[in-house]
Amino acid sequence: MIRILFMLLWLPLLSGFNKSLTSGPVVFKTTKGSVSLVSDAPLEVIKADSKELRGVIDTSNHTFAFTVAIVSFKGFNSPLQREHFQENYMESHLYPVATFTGKIIESVSFSKNGIYEVRAKGVLSVHGVKQERIIKGKVEVTSTGIVLNSEFKVVLEDHEIKIPRIVHQKIAPEISIIIEALLLPETR
Amino acid sequence: MRVYFKLPFLLSILLITAVSGLQAQIPFFKSVQVSKTGVPLKINGICQDNDKFIWLATTDGLYRYSGGGFEKIVLKETTEPADVSSIAPLPDGGVIFGNRKGGIFKFLNGVVRAIPTGSLVVHSSIGGIAVSPQHEIFVALQGQGLLKIAGDKIENFTTQDGLPDNYLYDVAIDPKGNLWIGSDGGLTKWSGLESKNAFQNFTTVNGLPDNIVRRIDASAENSIGIGTEEGGFVIYYPGTNTFFIPEFFREWSKGSITSILKLENEYWIGTQRDGIVDYEFKGYKRTRQFTKNLGFEGVLVNCMLKDHEGNIWIGSGVNCTCRLERKLNSNGNLMEHN
């Protein structure tokens, strides 16, 4: 009986995450990451977020890919504002997703728990316009998975997102983006 | 009473002389309009060919300065070269240039020809081009490593061959024939260009302030000027295998270094958003900035060139702004080209 209990206690450690970490390259995934956006303009502050950030990090080569559906953003100050965001500014019917794909510049030991300040370099595609970006973030390797945190800005003009002059005082030219995600291991 | 009049007069003369002397040391910049049609463009590269033409690689294609002004080179042979990202002179005349779509071309005797890349389909933007005295062409590919073209022989070197990263920003050949490569993985030296597996990589572990190396100036005999993404400007001395960060750059926080120009006693360092930093390593041993007082504040300085007549050309551009500057001579006259 004691032997069985002992084996049951060790089972989680012998499988999944810990096994994958010690046995070589592993892919980490999320489908429930959070993307928050804040527009802080002189006359109005607009906040919205999506809990449907999907992403993957391949620790074997430090590459990553993230995507979020534009229609998944909720919040805003009114339903009409959300409609304008979706249809007029982001044109989600033409450009349904925003993506960021690339690689992590800094060396990260994904087999060792710790916090790493990193730069993610890649192509950020918003509104169908691609921009090469280097985005700073924090990677925390835990016994559960990888916790990702990042804050950066998206300049609307860079992605050809046109704001009518009449609402210039209500929508900031630079939108603050906050990313939070827990990526769990998935053995290949 | 006469003495009281004379003293301020003499002091004034001294002051004026001193101020004039100081002003003479400050370069004066003059904007030169590139596009006659007002097309918004950004200058990505600049070089001078053997015939002393100044060439610009721009987002609006190729431009050439022949004394009177810039003319856009209309390339009938191909529609590819738009958004030219890099340009270099060829030893026997003409220029070689590459664009954001991975096209590599040669302009010689008024004819443009695409340079074949063998079995490698280049889809990466061209980061930098260097041509050795032996006519070997080295191309930094932003995503596909290093391309070497020697006549009909085409080779591609990647991380599998020892490069630290496949995203290359710049390549430069020093007077001793070594190739220097800047990438997302640091600085790389390739000694003996014929040797395939002799890449020597330098990173922050070796003293680099940042592993993203964007610009390299290898024109000096015993030092390599290096511009990084976030760590500012650093000089590498191969003789002692040491990196030296000038004091001005030790707390650098003004974006990436976008261009480097080595002069006799100084480096001109182009920055992403703060004009030019003039670092004098000999003589006055001072650091100056050419910023808002000379119209450079907030201007990305993409490329610089000292031409055969001593003028310094600066290619910049932010959005619709595009300026090309020429240094005046000591008499304050614009130094014209023939």
Side-chain angles (χ1 to χ4, degrees):
Chain A
M1 186 64 179
I2 292 168
R3 185 177 289 177
I4 292 168
L5 276 172
F6 185 78
M7 283 177 71
L8 283 173
L9 279 170
W10 274 96
L11 264 176
L13 298 175
L14 294 172
S15 62
F17 176 61
N18 290 285
K19 183 183 174 187
S20 59
L21 278 184
T22 52
S23 62
V26 73
V27 171
F28 290 79
K29 281 186 176 176
T30 182
T31 55
K32 298 177 198 166
S34 161
V35 185
S36 304
L37 61 86
V38 179
S39 163
D40 192 350
L43 296 184
E44 190 170 3
V45 176
I46 301 168
K47 292 181 181 177
D49 62 54
S50 165
K51 306 288 185 197
E52 296 178 28
L53 173 69
R54 301 164 67 88
V56 58
I57 295 177
D58 186 338
T59 60
S60 67
N61 55 14
H62 279 53
T63 57
F64 62 83
F66 286 89
T67 181
V68 64
I70 302 302
V71 292
S72 66
F73 279 92
K74 291 169 183 164
F76 303 96
N77 294 332
S78 70
L80 182 63
Q81 195 174 66
R82 180 169 185 250
E83 190 180 311
H84 283 164
F85 170 82
Q86 302 283 1
E87 294 178 10
N88 300 347
Y89 308 146
M90 297 301 290
E91 299 181 279
S92 58
H93 54 290
L94 295 174
Y95 315 109
V97 294
T99 60
F100 186 43
T101 57
K103 66 188 173 189
I104 298 168
I105 296 287
E106 275 68 30
S107 172
V108 176
S109 176
F110 288 103
S111 60
K112 190 178 173 184
N113 288 3
I115 299 172
Y116 304 87
E117 300 288 340
V118 299
R119 288 173 295 178
K121 180 183 171 184
V123 176
L124 177 69
S125 176
V126 178
H127 192 238
V129 178
K130 292 176 180 176
Q131 286 276 324
E132 188 190 301
R133 292 286 301 266
I134 295 175
I135 293 172
K136 290 183 180 180
K138 189 173 76 177
V139 166
E140 184 174 2
V141 179
T142 70
S143 51
T144 312
I146 296 172
V147 181
L148 193 66
N149 286 283
S150 178
E151 289 187 32
F152 59 97
K153 291 189 186 297
V154 170
V155 179
L156 297 182
E157 194 181 351
D158 287 350
H159 294 276
E160 296 173 15
I161 299 168
K162 294 182 174 69
I163 304 297
R165 189 175 292 274
I166 197 165
V167 290
H168 267 188
Q169 292 290 303
K170 293 187 174 184
I171 298 175
E174 282 188 355
I175 305 297
S176 298
I177 307 290
I178 300 163
I179 303 285
E180 292 175 352
L182 169 63
L183 292 94
L184 299 173
E186 183 175 290
T187 310
R188 280 193 282 194
Chain B
M1 190 67 180
R2 285 180 66 189
V3 174
Y4 289 116
F5 269 117
K6 272 185 180 174
L7 192 59
F9 179 73
L10 284 170
L11 282 172
S12 301
I13 295 292
L14 278 172
L15 192 63
I16 289 165
T17 309
V19 169
S20 304
L22 278 174
Q23 280 180 339
Q25 293 166 16
I26 298 171
F28 181 83
F29 297 93
K30 181 176 173 61
S31 293
V32 178
Q33 189 72 26
V34 176
S35 170
K36 289 171 184 168
T37 58
V39 173
L41 55 78
K42 190 187 287 186
I43 303 170
N44 296 318
I46 186 168
C47 76
Q48 185 172 31
D49 68 15
N50 279 357
D51 296 323
K52 298 186 179 177
F53 287 114
I54 303 290
W55 291 81
L56 299 182
T58 82
T59 49
D60 187 44
L62 270 186
Y63 279 81
R64 184 172 65 179
Y65 186 82
S66 53
F70 279 101
E71 57 173 333
K72 185 174 178 180
I73 304 296
V74 180
L75 303 166
K76 294 174 185 171
E77 291 81 358
T78 174
T79 55
E80 272 291 299
D83 202 355
V84 181
S85 54
S86 187
I87 191 163
L90 288 165
D92 293 339
V95 292
I96 179 170
F97 59 98
N99 67 11
R100 300 263 180 228
K101 292 180 180 174
I104 307 164
F105 306 88
K106 187 186 283 189
F107 185 99
L108 188 61
N109 301 326
V111 179
V112 176
R113 286 203 174 88
I115 295 179
T117 54
S119 58
L120 179 72
V121 179
V122 179
H123 53 76
S124 306
S125 179
I126 306 303
I129 302 172
V131 184
S132 75
Q134 294 76 36
H135 295 209
E136 296 163 315
I137 299 165
F138 297 91
V139 184
L141 304 176
Q142 296 188 337
Q144 292 178 278
L146 177 72
L147 184 67
K148 180 184 174 187
I149 303 166
D152 295 334
K153 190 179 178 187
I154 295 155
E155 293 175 277
N156 180 216
F157 302 97
T158 65
T159 49
Q160 293 184 337
D161 302 299
L163 279 175
D165 200 283
N166 286 335
Y167 199 101
L168 312 188
Y169 293 96
D170 203 6
V171 283
I173 298 170
D174 71 20
K176 292 173 183 168
N178 300 304
L179 185 75
W180 296 85
I181 304 163
S183 74
D184 277 340
L187 176 73
T188 299
K189 179 186 178 184
W190 197 16
S191 304
L193 299 180
E194 73 288 343
S195 173
K196 184 173 178 178
N197 296 312
F199 293 112
Q200 186 183 359
N201 300 317
F202 303 89
T203 66
T204 50
V205 174
N206 307 101
L208 260 180
D210 186 1
N211 278 346
I212 301 180
V213 173
R214 280 191 173 268
R215 285 287 168 251
I216 300 170
D217 184 296
S219 60
E221 278 286 339
N222 300 310
S223 61
I224 307 293
I226 301 155
T228 67
E229 174 68 22
E230 292 188 349
F233 173 73
V234 58
I235 301 171
Y236 175 65
Y237 295 101
T240 55
N241 191 25
T242 53
F243 288 90
F244 171 73
I245 304 171
E247 192 175 347
F248 186 83
F249 291 98
R250 286 177 194 164
E251 300 294 329
W252 183 252
S253 61
K254 292 182 177 175
S256 62
I257 301 302
T258 47
S259 50
I260 303 169
L261 178 65
K262 168 80 170 50
L263 301 173
E264 191 180 358
N265 293 329
E266 60 201 303
Y267 277 103
W268 280 24
I269 300 140
T271 70
Q272 187 179 17
R273 53 176 184 260
D274 211 31
I276 294 170
V277 177
D278 174 18
Y279 168 63
E280 291 187 23
F281 53 88
K282 282 182 184 171
Y284 288 107
K285 292 189 176 178
R286 63 186 170 181
T287 304
R288 298 181 296 173
Q289 270 193 279
F290 306 144
T291 55
K292 62 183 176 183
N293 56 330
L294 295 161
F296 277 111
E297 188 180 36
V299 175
L300 171 71
V301 178
N302 265 339
C303 47
M304 292 183 280
L305 168 78
K306 185 176 181 183
D307 69 20
H308 294 163
E309 289 154 351
N311 304 313
I312 295 176
W313 299 72
I314 300 155
S316 61
V318 175
N319 296 330
C320 297
T321 311
C322 177
R323 294 184 301 182
L324 189 78
E325 316 281 356
R326 284 179 296 168
K327 190 178 180 181
L328 302 192
N329 66 19
S330 57
N331 297 323
N333 300 319
L334 196 62
M335 296 173 75
E336 290 294 343
H337 300 270
N338 297 316

